[in-house]
Amino acid sequence: MSQTFKAILVSRDADKKQSVAVTDLTEADLMEGDVTVAVEATTVNYKDGLAITGKAPVVRRWPLVPGIDFAGTVISSSNPDWRKGDKVILNGWGVGETHFGAYAGRARVKGDWLVPLPEGMRVHDAMAVGTAGYTAMLCVMALERHGILPDRGPVVVTGAAGGVGSIAVSILSSLGYHVIASTGRNAESPYLINLGAAEVISRDELSQPAKPLAKERWAGGIDSVGSHTLANVLSMTSYGGAVAACGLAGGMDLPSNVAPFILRGVSLLGIDSVMAPKAVRLEAWRRIGADLDLRKLASLSTT
């Protein structure tokens, strides 16, 4: 008899009413793929919360095991890039949306979706970073490609006490940036300063409708909020600056105008973590291993 493992399964009945249960599966229940991984660590992302509660149409295949990222050990592979015993990470690629995801003892996926665990990093460390931290690094890399380096001036991070924001603050500060952290939780100021923020501002400064152009305050930004917050960040970005946008915690809308783009040459850099090319993923995780202070991960995560 095949060995069973626990899994969280999201299902829907004929009336499209969603239900969630912890169940037993076997490897025969898993979907197609050329690598099977023993899942050793995963995270609860915003998208996972939406999938499990049914608050948004994240799940697009029924039934489905949710969970958009994991780290673990290869237990079998027909892919030439991976062998039994390899430590691997997965982020995105529709896993937890259209393909059985991380909330199970096993996952079968395509080997092309995997990247190696960085040298010196444990699987738990990788998921303390998680998709949020990987996305933060993609944002940092995008700013660097645009020439937004520490000598250009401050960089603002919105939603700074969240997953993306916390890792972004930590990475930027370790690279020598003057980081302005924006948060709606004033009690988190000591936490953000400990991560490396030079200044902490209230999100109220950025949450009202934006002016076409406001006083220049920063050379760049990393925004996971969207809506009025992103519009304000753009209006306050200095000439030739850039803002990396990766989230929508405050809304999908962007009530802005063209003034920052045509009068200050500001660039809006879109960041997609789900379908990013493998070469970009490999570089992002290499940089995480090199530029993120792993000693700070304990303060960034809860098991």
Side-chain angles (χ1 to χ4, degrees), residues 20-198:
V20 184
V22 177
T23 187
D24 291 315
L25 298 180
T26 70
E27 288 190 15
D29 297 311
L30 297 176
M31 295 176 66
E32 71 284 351
D34 52 11
V35 180
T36 303
V37 178
V39 178
E40 297 171 34
T42 183
T43 61
V44 181
N45 289 276
Y46 182 64
K47 187 180 286 186
D48 298 320
L50 294 176
I52 290 174
T53 61
K55 297 292 185 181
V58 172
V59 175
R60 298 194 294 277
R61 179 204 184 277
W62 306 91
L64 190 82
V65 175
I68 68 169
D69 57 11
F70 63 73
T73 302
V74 173
I75 55 177
S76 65
S77 172
S78 60
N79 185 297
D81 292 338
W82 304 106
R83 295 180 298 175
K84 183 178 179 179
D86 286 343
K87 296 288 187 179
V88 295
I89 300 169
L90 180 138
N91 304 101
W93 294 117
V95 171
E97 299 179 65
T98 58
H99 191 96
F100 275 22
Y103 293 171
R106 299 284 186 271
R108 183 181 296 126
V109 297
K110 294 182 179 179
D112 289 344
W113 296 348
L114 300 170
V115 297
L117 185 73
E119 191 78 24
M121 185 178 285
R122 303 172 304 156
V123 291
H124 184 278
D125 295 333
M127 286 298 101
V129 175
T131 291
Y134 151 69
T135 303
M137 180 54 81
L138 292 178
C139 292
V140 172
M141 290 164 56
L143 292 178
E144 290 175 338
R145 287 195 300 271
H146 200 78
I148 309 303
L149 302 175
D151 61 0
R152 285 286 299 273
V155 170
V156 66
V157 177
T158 66
V164 173
S166 295
I167 299 288
V169 169
S170 182
I171 292 171
L172 288 168
S173 64
S174 71
L175 293 173
Y177 288 85
H178 180 102
V179 182
I180 301 173
S182 168
T183 180
R185 294 176 278 173
N186 294 332
E188 299 289 358
S189 294
Y191 162 76
L192 293 168
I193 291 170
N194 184 60
L195 289 181

